[in-house]
Amino acid sequence: MQIPADRKILLPPSFEYLPGLFLRDPFRSHLEKALKSVKDVEMGADGCTAPEVAARVRSRGWTSPLVLVGPRDRIGGRILQEALRQQGVEARIEAMGPIEKGEAGSGSGEPGAPRVLNLPPSAGDLEPLENLDSFFRAGRVVLHFEEEPCLTSPAPDGAAWVRFYRLEDPAWREMLERIVVKWMPEKLSLLQCAVHFFHQGIDPLEEMYAGNNLADRNPELVANILP
Amino acid sequence: MTHSPSTPILLLPPPGPITWLFPELGGVESALRETAAFQAMGKGCRIWDLARMRFGEGGPIRALQEEAPAQVLMPGGPRGRALKNRLVPCLRGQGIAVTLLESGSWELETWLEGVAGTPGEVVTVKVGEGLQLRLLTLGVVPDVESLLQGGRPVPCFLTRREDPGAGEAVETRLDPSWWGLLPGDRYPKEVQQGVRALMRDLYPERYFQFLAYENLALAGVDVYSEAVLGRFPAGVKRPGAFQEHGPLILAIDGIDGAGKSTHLRAVKSFLESKGLDVAVHKMYRHGVFHDTVTDVTRQCTGGKNLHLWRLQRLVKAFDSVKYYFTAVEPDLARRDVLLFDRYTHTHHAAGTGRYHHDPFTREMLSVYPSPHRLYLLDLPAPEALRRIKEREERTVDENPYMLERFRHALHDMAGRCGFKVLEGLASFEENRRVILEDLENLLVQRRAGRDG
C-alpha cells in the first residue's frame, strides 16, 4: 500500500453496524498502520461528524486533501467530500484495497482479542453447525467474511454496509440468525435491529456522520414557522 | 411435550439499546439470570426467551397468536413495558391477557438502579464470576479526564434522579426501551450537551451509534420493539396493489416550488379533452388543519419536545388516511382518472428526511393503491426556494436543508418505485410534452389491455 507522505490525508470513520458480532473492518486496521508515518492525517476515529472535520480542515488551511477510502468506506468518503466542498475545500477520493486473503484476521492474535470465525461465501457451506460447538466454547468469537463482496460498480447510497454483512441474502440472514441464537444470543436483538434498518432502507450511522441529527438540525427545521 | 393454553407464557425480552451500545452489560444480565430470584419467577410458566428463539414469518407476534395462551407474562422493567406497548394492540380480541410482573432484581435496569451511586461518580461492582463493571451514573456533567483513569466506565441515566444542580427531580422522558441511554429533554441543556461530549471522549468509536439512537429516541421511534417483535418483518408495505381494472391513478410529486400545480392543470385538461372523467385530489390539506399541525410543530422550538416532530407527522398521515376513505375511495368506484397533487411518497420523504425512519406512516398509507404513473419534478433546492419566495404562504419545510433532504429521499424512491423523473429546470413546454406523450402511450396500453 503506497501512501504519499507529503499529502494531507483524511479518512472517513468506519461504520460498524454490528460491533462485537463481526470483526472490525480489517482494511481499516491495515490503513491505520500504513498511515503512521504520515504527518498530516485525520484518522476519522474521533467521533467528529463530516461537517466538523471539514471545518477543521478549512481552519488549518489544508488545500486539496486526499480522502482515502477502503472498500467499505465509499459512502463515508463521499459524505466527507461533500462536507469539504461546502467549506470550499476540493478533495479527491482515492480508493484503496482490498487487502489480500488471509490478512483479515489481523488482531485476533493479540491478548484478550476475540477469535475470528471466517465465514464461507455460501451459507450452505457452513453446515453442519454442530461442528462449531467447540470453537465457540473456547472463548469469545467474532464473525468475518474472509472473501469481501466484490463491488465492481459504485455502491448505491447506503447499501454498502448491508453488503458487507451480506444481509441482502435471505439464506445468509437465516444462517446468521441460527449462529447467533445458538452461540451469541446476547447479540440477537442487535442483529435484528440491523436487519430492520436494512428492510427499512435506512443508514443511521451515515446519516449521523453527515450531521443529520434531529437535535442538531432542529433550529433550522423550525425557523420557517417561528412567529 | 404439549402445553395447556392455560399455562402462561413468560416472555423474556432480549438485550435492548443500552446493551447494544455497551455490550459490556450483556454479561451482567446473563449472570443475573443465574440467581434464585429469576428461577423462582419462571415457575409454572413456559419460558420464551426472545434472545434464544427463532420465529418464522410474522415473528413472535404471530407465534403468540397461533399459540393462543390465556396469559402472557413479562418482566415489568423498561423492555417489558416497551414490548407490551406493541403486543397489546396486536393481540387484542384474541383472549390473550398481557400482564407485567413486578420488576425484579434479575433485570438489568432494576439491578443498575440498585447499585448506582451519586450522579457523576464511578462505582465499581462485581457481577457473577470474573465480571467487573465500572458504572457511571449520569445526571451532572462529569470530569472526563478523571473518568478515563482506570478504564472506561459505562455511563447510564437512571429513570428518575435528584439533580443536585436544579434541586429537584428530573426524569428521562423517552420510550421505555431507550432506558439509560439519554437524558431526554427534561434535563438541563448543559447535561444533554455534556453527555454527548462525554460519549465522544469515552467511546469515539461508538459515537455515531450513540447519535443514531439519540436521534431515533428523541423522535419517538422505538426500533427495539419494532425489530424484536418483527413488527415489520419484510419491510413496510409499499402502497397497495396496482389496480389493473380500476381508474387510472396518476400523481405529480416533487419538492415545494417544483411546478406541480401548473403541470397538474395541464394534465387534467389533456385527459378531459380525451373525454375522461378526471378527479383531482390533494391529500395534504391546508387551512385550519395545517395551521393546527404547524402549532404542534412550533412546540419543538428550542430543542424541546422533539417527539412532537413525530406526532405532527403521524397526525398528517392519519389525515391522509381519513381523506382516502372520505374522498378517494368513492372516486375509485366512479371516475376514469384520479390525479394526485403529491402522493404518499411525499409523506415518506418527509419522515425519512427529518428523522430517517418512519415505518408506521408507510404502513398506514398503504391503503392508497400504487399509482400507474408518478411524475417526479426534480428541482435543486436553491431554485425551488427562489420560486417559493414569490408566494405569500410559507410552510415549515421551506428551508434549504429540508428541501434538499426531501429531494434526496424522493430521488432514492424514484429508482426503487419506477417514477418518471422530469428535469424541473427544463421549460414547462418541454416537460408538458414529455408527460403528455407518456400519457398517450399509457392510455393506449390500457385500452389494449382491456380489449385484449
Side-chain angles (χ1 to χ4, degrees):
Chain A
M1 189 183 298
Q2 289 292 319
I3 308 287
D6 58 334
R7 292 293 297 270
K8 318 284 187 196
I9 306 281
L10 305 170
L11 262 61
S14 176
F15 300 120
E16 306 286 343
Y17 277 85
L18 292 167
L21 177 59
F22 273 84
L23 179 69
R24 184 176 174 246
D25 179 6
F27 185 81
R28 168 63 55 152
S29 319
H30 231 63
L31 198 53
E32 285 169 1
K33 275 181 201 159
L35 285 169
K36 275 187 178 158
S37 59
V38 179
K39 188 172 150 241
D40 293 321
V41 61
E42 285 268 358
M43 291 292 211
D46 57 0
C48 287
T49 62
E52 287 169 333
V53 172
R56 203 157 60 205
V57 166
R58 188 186 174 200
S59 70
R60 285 178 188 165
W62 287 12
T63 52
S64 311
L66 203 57
V67 177
L68 290 188
V69 296
R72 299 190 191 189
D73 306 328
R74 292 173 188 215
I75 308 295
R78 287 215 293 272
I79 292 170
L80 181 54
Q81 189 183 39
E82 178 55 30
L84 288 162
R85 187 171 292 137
Q86 289 187 11
Q87 289 285 340
V89 180
E90 285 301 322
R92 189 164 64 81
I93 294 180
E94 179 91 15
M96 315 292 284
I99 56 174
E100 297 298 315
K101 192 176 177 181
E103 291 177 317
S106 59
S108 60
E110 292 165 15
R115 305 165 72 221
V116 178
L117 175 65
N118 279 314
L119 301 167
S122 163
D125 295 342
L126 209 57
E127 297 281 10
L129 282 174
E130 285 68 26
N131 293 347
L132 297 172
D133 261 344
S134 56
F135 189 83
F136 276 92
R137 280 201 199 108
R140 204 153 55 93
V141 173
V142 287
L143 311 176
H144 176 66
F145 287 108
E146 195 164 27
E147 285 184 24
E148 297 250 315
C150 182
L151 297 177
T152 49
S153 59
D157 277 357
W161 70 270
V162 170
R163 287 192 194 178
F164 283 103
Y165 299 122
R166 303 202 178 186
L167 297 183
E168 289 170 314
D169 180 348
W172 253 120
R173 284 204 306 274
E174 196 195 327
M175 181 59 69
L176 203 52
E177 198 178 280
R178 286 174 66 189
I179 292 172
V180 170
V181 164
K182 190 157 188 184
W183 291 292
M184 311 159 95
E186 74 284 357
K187 298 285 182 200
L188 179 64
S189 55
L190 178 71
L191 172 65
Q192 288 170 326
C193 182
V195 171
H196 184 64
F197 288 156
F198 156 63
H199 281 317
Q200 303 301 325
I202 58 170
D203 321 291
L205 302 191
E206 285 85 343
E207 291 277 17
M208 294 304 108
Y209 180 55
N212 291 327
N213 188 298
L214 177 64
D216 293 332
R217 291 292 187 175
N218 191 61
E220 62 195 285
L221 291 177
V222 291
N224 288 349
I225 54 167
L226 295 180
Chain B
M1 185 177 172
T2 54
H3 295 280
S4 152
S6 61
T7 310
I9 288 178
L10 174 62
L11 209 63
L12 295 179
I18 193 166
T19 311
W20 299 345
L21 190 65
F22 301 109
E24 295 84 351
L25 295 172
V28 177
E29 191 147 69
S30 305
L32 294 173
R33 286 192 179 178
E34 299 296 321
T35 59
F38 176 78
Q39 307 294 336
M41 188 210 38
K43 272 195 177 163
C45 297
R46 283 178 284 164
I47 295 181
W48 283 20
D49 183 349
L50 295 185
R52 293 174 186 276
M53 294 176 73
R54 296 179 63 237
F55 297 92
E57 198 177 337
I61 293 173
R62 187 173 297 170
L64 282 170
Q65 288 167 338
E66 286 169 1
E67 192 76 13
Q71 195 174 28
V72 174
L73 302 172
M74 280 190 293
R79 284 169 289 156
R81 293 203 302 276
L83 294 186
K84 187 190 173 195
N85 287 345
R86 294 282 179 266
L87 271 179
V88 167
C90 298
L91 300 179
R92 187 166 289 145
Q94 298 182 43
I96 305 173
V98 182
T99 309
L100 286 180
L101 299 166
E102 202 170 316
S103 58
S105 59
W106 48 270
E107 281 180 274
L108 175 70
E109 296 87 345
T110 314
W111 179 83
L112 283 170
E113 296 268 6
V115 299
T118 309
E121 285 177 6
V122 175
V123 178
T124 303
V125 278
K126 283 191 172 177
V127 197
E129 194 69 22
L131 178 65
Q132 189 166 294
L133 186 73
R134 276 164 58 79
L135 179 71
L136 168 67
T137 313
L138 292 173
V140 294
V141 185
D143 172 23
V144 176
E145 284 301 318
S146 63
L147 286 179
L148 285 170
Q149 293 163 11
R152 300 189 292 183
V154 171
C156 171
F157 272 96
L158 303 184
T159 311
R160 190 175 170 84
R161 300 294 294 183
E162 296 299 318
D163 176 10
E168 58 186 28
V170 287
E171 60 185 308
T172 299
R173 186 181 56 165
L174 298 168
D175 270 353
S177 64
W178 295 108
W179 184 93
L181 271 183
L182 290 168
D185 54 4
R186 282 185 179 163
Y187 269 85
K189 200 79 186 167
E190 56 269 26
V191 173
Q192 295 182 39
Q193 288 164 349
V195 172
R196 282 176 152 209
L198 178 74
M199 270 307 299
R200 178 138 78 179
D201 288 341
L202 289 179
Y203 296 96
E205 78 282 8
R206 302 181 199 178
Y207 187 58
F208 295 125
Q209 195 185 355
F210 169 78
L211 284 184
Y213 295 157
E214 178 193 51
N215 187 81
L216 293 170
L218 293 179
V221 180
D222 177 14
V223 290
Y224 173 72
S225 55
E226 285 174 15
V228 165
L229 292 177
R231 182 74 180 82
F232 304 100
V236 291
K237 281 169 71 182
R238 301 299 173 204
F242 182 87
Q243 299 201 340
E244 199 61 54
H245 301 294
L248 186 66
I249 297 169
L250 305 171
I252 300 182
D253 221 319
I255 60 176
D256 287 345
K260 296 180 292 297
S261 307
T262 322
H263 281 291
L264 208 76
R265 285 191 289 272
V267 169
K268 182 173 186 281
S269 56
F270 168 79
L271 292 167
E272 283 175 342
S273 74
K274 301 276 179 190
L276 296 167
D277 182 11
V278 182
V280 174
H281 285 282
K282 195 165 182 157
M283 67 170 74
Y284 295 83
R285 290 196 271 194
H286 285 259
V288 175
F289 168 77
H290 190 272
D291 293 345
T292 308
V293 176
T294 302
D295 277 342
V296 170
T297 311
R298 276 198 192 96
Q299 305 299 313
C300 302
T301 308
K304 295 282 180 191
N305 304 311
L306 295 187
H307 62 285
L308 293 180
W309 277 114
R310 178 153 172 74
L311 184 63
Q312 63 91 33
R313 179 105 297 285
L314 289 169
V315 170
K316 284 181 183 172
F318 268 117
D319 188 64
S320 289
V321 173
K322 181 181 163 194
Y323 181 78
Y324 173 82
F325 288 108
T326 54
V328 177
E329 196 175 48
D331 272 353
L332 284 171
R334 64 189 179 207
R335 302 290 197 132
D336 298 321
V337 182
L338 270 64
L339 180 56
F340 285 86
D341 180 350
R342 298 183 188 271
Y343 208 55
T344 52
H345 306 85
T346 291
H347 273 302
H348 308 334
T352 309
R354 188 164 284 111
Y355 44 76
H356 322 139
H357 182 60
D358 197 5
F360 282 99
T361 305
R362 279 190 269 176
E363 188 183 47
M364 278 196 295
L365 293 168
S366 63
V367 292
Y368 280 85
S370 287
H372 295 90
R373 186 73 86 233
L374 189 144
Y375 300 100
L376 174 62
L377 283 161
D378 181 42
L379 190 70
E383 174 58 18
L385 279 169
R386 193 190 63 76
R387 294 182 187 180
I388 290 166
K389 276 180 186 160
E390 293 162 10
R391 298 180 188 168
E392 277 184 24
E393 194 183 7
R394 304 296 300 274
T395 75
V396 65
D397 300 321
E398 291 170 2
N399 66 69
Y401 173 70
M402 222 35 235
L403 285 181
E404 201 55 58
R405 295 279 298 165
F406 280 169
R407 186 188 178 206
H408 181 80
L410 287 168
H411 249 293
D412 186 46
M413 280 183 273
R416 287 185 279 120
C417 307
F419 300 168
K420 193 160 186 65
V421 182
L422 299 159
E423 175 57 67
L425 286 172
S427 68
F428 167 74
E429 288 74 22
E430 172 60 15
N431 279 335
R432 180 175 177 274
R433 187 188 62 75
V434 174
I435 292 175
L436 298 191
E437 243 177 53
D438 183 65
L439 276 176
E440 284 277 16
N441 290 333
L442 196 60
L443 292 172
V444 169
Q445 283 168 21
R446 274 177 68 84
R447 269 197 296 270
R450 281 180 182 168
D451 295 344

